[in-house]
Amino acid sequence: MAEEIRVRFAPSPTGYLHVGGARTALFNWLFAKNKCGKFILRIEDTDRMRSTIEANKAIIEGLEWLGLEWDEGPNVGGEFGPYYQTERLKIYREAAEKLIAEGKAYYCFCTAEELEEMRKLAAEIKEAPKYDGRCRKLPEAEIEELKAKRKDHVIRFKLPAAGETVVSDLIRGEVRFENDLLDDFVIIKSDGFPTYNFAAVVDDNLMKITHVIRGDDHLSNTPRQILLYEAFGFPIPKFAHLPMILGPDKARLSKRHGAVSVVAYSEMGYLPEAMVNYLARLGWSHGDQEVFTREELIEKFSLDKVGKTSAVFDIEKLNWLNGQYIRKALPERILDLAMPYLEKTYDSLPAMAKNKNGLDYLLKVIKCLQDRLIIIPDIVHLSQYFFVEEIEYEKKAAEKYFADPKVPSILTKLKERLQKIEPFIKENIEKVFKGLAEEEKLKLGAIIHPTRVALTGRAESPGMYEVIEILGKDRVIKRLDKAIHFLVR
């Protein structure tokens, strides 16, 4: 029977779910789904100084917004819980005591002053600071005496003195680390909490994690973790370290490159499916394909198509993708997403949304403008002339399309013909425009362009006939009258 693939996303709740963390979660999720395996969420909250309830909530919200449902973890449960590391302290203590009993770890009573002295000596001889192992061979009696005095202590892993540790990475190939460049690192801190490397190894083993897929900033941790796996006699999972995400300036992605919280992108008007598609393409590719359904991502995802070089976060590419997904979405969904922005801007919207005619009008506006949206808040500017009674003419548009002295006459004739239309629908409106152009021996644009400025105040809009139908006869006639008076005054 084939081994069940089990991967985990293990964020520390010391900040929001940022783009890099979200990409890591997504790659784990896609790998698990592709292999019919399990995706586990584990919260590594042992940093008591920096972990917060708010950050934990934001991580959960970010994963939920992206649709990355976990098979085991907080709010879901599972046979290998609990899934918060602060609820697993007894497990770590027992694991550390096991290593001590086997001579693979030891109690260290060195003070902060002694450790600082070691760092200074290393700096003087231009070597990397390392613990000198002075507590390795403390007699048992002295250890018990120091513990009885309640002297602060940590537990250190007893590192092999020589040799090398080889990381067989599924993305980077073999990466070798000399053991003598490492030191006897701490596995249990003086407050009884485990260090990251130790807790991760214990948990990954107990949770039967088969593949550890994470950012390449963790690559330097991997030799220490492999040494711990070997000391425990645990099976070593396969490692895959993802390339870093850089900003457009090729520096490490940070707040100065824009929003870094995934939830912030939701608030900015991006669709989750667009963000998932975009994150998947940050470091992974499948030929020249750019747009993927979630099902296609699951089907096509594999670690051998993850690149080794850093990916660059390009907001223009995300914008393009978001526009693609907005076009495909149901207008009703886009209306739901757009309403908070519209209601905040236009006083008439809340009342309009409460009756069927108002909702029908709103939906027509969305359908008309949907292909022009890049992010949801764009609807506010694009739809203005649909929701205000008095429009202003953009200076350049008026100068360009109101300049011809024939325009007042054209708009007057158009107004007279539009007044007679019944029903006031796009097909009949189009006939009026084409008939007038033919009679006046004008190109259609000579009528459409000044009409657009008269009705919207702008040089650009969706199809003129559709806009006129949505605005309705009364509003169209009123705006044409205003434009005619503006031109002949």
Side-chain angles (χ1 to χ4, degrees):
M1 184 176 175
E3 177 187 39
E4 179 184 55
I5 298 298
R6 292 176 60 83
V7 298
R8 48 71 165 180
F9 177 55
S12 174
T14 56
Y16 299 112
L17 179 65
H18 53 75
V19 167
R23 198 255 321 244
T24 297
L26 174 62
F27 280 23
N28 274 279
W29 187 85
L30 289 173
F31 184 75
K33 295 299 178 186
N34 176 268
K35 302 294 185 183
C36 298
K38 295 287 177 64
F39 173 62
I40 293 95
L41 175 62
R42 183 175 74 227
I43 305 297
E44 299 190 339
D45 57 344
T46 56
D47 187 339
R48 293 195 292 172
M49 295 295 291
R50 297 170 60 222
S51 294
T52 67
I53 294 173
E54 292 76 18
N56 181 75
K57 182 181 178 183
I59 289 168
I60 299 292
E61 286 178 351
L63 293 173
E64 289 177 342
W65 179 68
L66 293 170
L68 305 184
E69 297 178 349
W70 47 100
D71 300 293
E72 299 173 20
N75 307 330
V76 173
E79 60 180 307
F80 301 107
Y83 294 92
Y84 284 92
Q85 286 189 332
T86 50
E87 297 175 12
R88 300 172 64 83
L89 299 183
K90 183 180 178 183
I91 294 172
Y92 308 132
R93 189 75 196 190
E94 289 174 352
E97 295 290 353
K98 181 177 185 295
L99 290 182
I100 290 173
E102 294 174 356
K104 298 173 182 176
Y106 59 92
Y107 294 104
C108 173
F109 298 89
C110 291
T111 64
E113 291 75 19
E114 289 173 308
L115 295 174
E116 180 59 29
E117 187 62 30
M118 290 179 214
R119 279 191 282 269
K120 286 180 179 178
L121 288 173
E124 287 176 8
I125 58 176
K126 297 182 179 179
E127 288 186 358
K130 289 173 60 176
Y131 179 68
D132 62 12
R134 65 181 64 177
C135 288
R136 263 187 178 224
K137 297 180 180 179
L138 285 177
E140 187 67 29
E142 187 175 347
I143 291 172
E144 292 304 317
E145 182 182 346
L146 289 168
K147 286 170 68 176
K149 291 179 179 178
R150 297 187 177 182
K151 184 171 182 182
D152 284 347
H153 64 274
V154 300
I155 299 177
R156 290 183 181 272
F157 178 68
K158 192 177 289 185
L159 197 81
E164 64 178 9
T165 300
V166 180
V167 179
S168 297
D169 193 89
L170 294 174
I171 295 172
R172 299 178 172 276
E174 276 196 359
V175 185
R176 297 176 176 273
F177 295 86
E178 297 296 328
N179 289 344
D180 61 7
L181 296 177
L182 308 175
D183 65 357
D184 291 354
F185 55 90
V186 174
I187 57 176
I188 298 291
K189 295 177 284 188
S190 60
D191 60 4
F193 277 61
T195 57
Y196 161 73
N197 285 315
F198 186 67
V201 167
V202 172
D203 286 346
D204 284 346
N205 176 70
L206 292 176
M207 295 179 184
K208 301 187 182 300
I209 301 303
T210 60
H211 294 72
V212 174
I213 304 169
R214 58 190 180 186
D216 62 5
D217 53 330
H218 284 289
L219 183 59
S220 60
N221 290 317
T222 310
R224 294 178 177 85
Q225 293 178 7
I226 288 176
L227 290 169
L228 283 168
Y229 280 109
E230 292 173 345
F232 279 116
F234 294 160
I236 300 174
K238 295 180 174 66
F239 290 95
H241 288 90
L242 307 174
M244 188 180 294
I245 301 175
L246 305 178
D249 58 359
K250 303 300 172 68
R252 185 165 182 163
L253 194 65
S254 65
K255 290 181 180 179
R256 64 190 173 86
H257 295 112
V260 291
S261 163
V262 168
V263 174
Y265 285 98
S266 166
E267 295 164 354
M268 289 163 60
Y270 292 91
L271 302 187
E273 55 267 44
M275 180 58 78
V276 164
N277 192 152
Y278 181 71
L279 291 173
R281 290 286 287 109
L282 278 177
W284 173 84
S285 63
H286 182 80
D288 296 326
Q289 187 172 347
E290 293 288 352
V291 182
F292 297 83
T293 65
R294 191 168 293 237
E295 292 71 27
E296 285 177 319
L297 287 173
I298 291 170
E299 176 192 347
K300 300 176 187 303
F301 185 82
S302 64
L303 289 173
D304 60 5
K305 292 181 181 177
V306 176
K308 297 179 182 179
T309 57
S310 298
V312 176
F313 188 86
D314 181 356
I315 194 68
E316 293 303 319
K317 188 69 166 288
L318 174 59
N319 286 342
W320 177 81
L321 270 173
N322 203 57
Q324 298 295 309
Y325 279 96
I326 286 177
R327 286 160 180 70
K328 295 177 183 178
L330 289 172
E332 290 80 1
R333 180 188 174 200
I334 301 303
L335 176 57
D336 284 342
L337 294 171
M339 279 305 291
Y341 302 100
L342 292 171
E343 288 181 343
K344 187 177 179 180
T345 308
Y346 304 115
D347 295 337
S348 61
L349 266 292
M352 184 182 293
K354 290 179 180 178
N355 64 78
K356 185 179 184 304
N357 289 339
L359 280 174
D360 287 345
Y361 181 79
L362 287 166
L363 200 55
K364 286 177 184 177
V365 172
I366 293 296
K367 289 177 180 177
C368 180
L369 296 171
Q370 192 165 349
D371 285 354
R372 294 170 175 257
L373 298 179
I374 300 300
I375 55 176
I376 300 298
D378 290 345
I379 192 68
V380 173
H381 170 71
L382 291 174
S383 67
Q384 184 186 36
Y385 50 84
F386 285 116
F387 299 121
V388 297
E389 289 305 316
E390 298 296 329
I391 61 167
E392 294 182 4
Y393 307 128
E394 291 179 352
K395 185 178 180 183
K396 288 184 178 179
E399 288 175 350
K400 183 173 183 179
Y401 294 117
F402 281 175
D404 191 325
K406 295 178 182 177
V407 169
S409 172
I410 291 170
L411 294 182
T412 299
K413 291 175 181 179
L414 179 67
K415 182 192 79 167
E416 291 170 351
R417 297 182 187 207
L418 289 176
Q419 276 181 316
K420 299 174 183 177
I421 289 180
E422 286 297 341
F424 198 74
I425 58 174
K426 184 167 64 173
E427 292 76 14
N428 292 337
I429 293 164
E430 183 177 1
K431 289 176 185 176
V432 165
F433 272 79
K434 289 183 175 179
L436 182 59
E438 188 175 338
E439 287 179 25
E440 298 292 322
K441 295 182 172 51
L442 295 170
K443 290 183 179 180
L444 202 52
I447 301 174
I448 287 177
H449 293 315
T451 302
R452 178 177 285 114
V453 179
L455 299 181
T456 71
R458 304 174 185 183
E460 295 183 2
S461 76
M464 196 71 261
Y465 311 136
E466 184 180 5
V467 170
I468 289 174
E469 179 183 336
I470 295 171
L471 285 171
K473 185 186 290 188
D474 290 346
R475 189 179 281 171
V476 167
I477 299 305
K478 181 179 177 183
R479 290 187 184 180
L480 287 174
D481 267 335
K482 176 187 175 183
I484 293 165
H485 290 134
F486 173 80
L487 289 167
V488 300
R489 68 173 186 237

